[in-house]
Amino acid sequence: MPPLPFPMPATPDAPLLAIEDLVVRYDTPHGVVHAVDGVSLTVRRGETLSLVGESGCGKSTLGRAILRLIEPAGGRIRLEGEELTGLSRRALCPKRRAVQMVFQDPFGSLDPRWTVGQLLAEPLHVHGIGPRAERRDRVLGLLERVGLPADAAQRHPHEFSGGQRQRIGIARALALEPKLVVCDEPVSALDVSVQAQILNLLVDLQRDLGVAFLFISHDLSVVEYIADRVGVMYLGRIVETAPREALWRAPLHPYTRALFDAVPDIERPGRARAPLSGDVPSAYAPPSGCRFHTRCPLAVDRCRRDAPALRPAGDPDHHVACHLAPGGAP
Ligand code: ADP
Ligand code: MG
């Protein structure tokens, strides 16, 4: 299969994806939901950045905003240095090829009458790739890549198991040879043994294709397996980013520590723990200052008043948004 013709990156040194101060809100009859509130992050070529945090902290909203499935209210999203925010739908279309998405339920929104072959050929067709015969070859190549037999093309998604359906979802996301795939809880609905198979497939695909993943998960064991770097989200903000090893060795934010403490430790069952107390505050009226202060065992006056910015801490590449973490101003 010849590679698809891809334009050279606009700015070769720019990170693959750079998000600056992104704001996403939902206007609802009950008020405005502050789902993503000033998030900045980068994804580098070929890496896996994992976003982790409790349900409702804005992970999916952030992922969907990158694909412009929802319009941000503010901030910037750049792909290889080129700004995506503000582009018209039409101008966005060719760029959209480079960023694809894998969902927890891959076929929730797709017509169940379609065959797998049709599902995989559709993105190629939409982007005007190849004559029919070439598209058929590409579909067969995609099935092989994700470990499905060639005759899967004639069958329908509902004839497959959950793990196989997720393989089909991944194949569809890869059809246009994206540079970044946003994976939103792609294994959360699967049995643990099947989860491992899908995670291994993603690792293999990344090694062979050089594709980067923004991998969203609420499950720390999954993140530990797949991530190169991790971003921890709380109530619409990033509170800590670090390489995986650094985060597991020395989590700095009290929220990150609480997340780790909430995971049962099989090796040290008697270990003292301080899991999270209290409920997540409402995203309609997030707390002032540090959003975690209402649940933080360490909070002082300043935390209620001033929102801490992400700042370097510890290892290179480790950043934390906490007034009280080591290295912060008194
Ligand atoms: P996560 O993926 O981390 O669980 P979400 O991005 O789904 O978080 O949600 C972030 C916040 O936005 C939550 O408070 C959620 O209730 C709210 N939210 C998500 N989708 C919508 C929507 N379509 N309309 C209104 N509020 C929404
Ligand atoms: Mg979600």
Side-chain angles (χ1 to χ4, degrees), residues 54-61 104 184-185 216:
E54 288 165 290
S55 173
C57 69
K59 305 180 297 295
S60 294
T61 302
Q104 181 173 332
D184 190 357
E185 307 267 9
I216 294 170

Side-chain angles (χ1 to χ4, degrees), residues 39 55-56 70 91 134-135 212 257 291 304 306 308 314 330:
V39 163
S55 173
I70 171 168
E134 186 190 326
R135 291 204 292 268
R257 292 178 186 215
R291 291 194 164 180
R304 292 179 255 280
D306 305 335

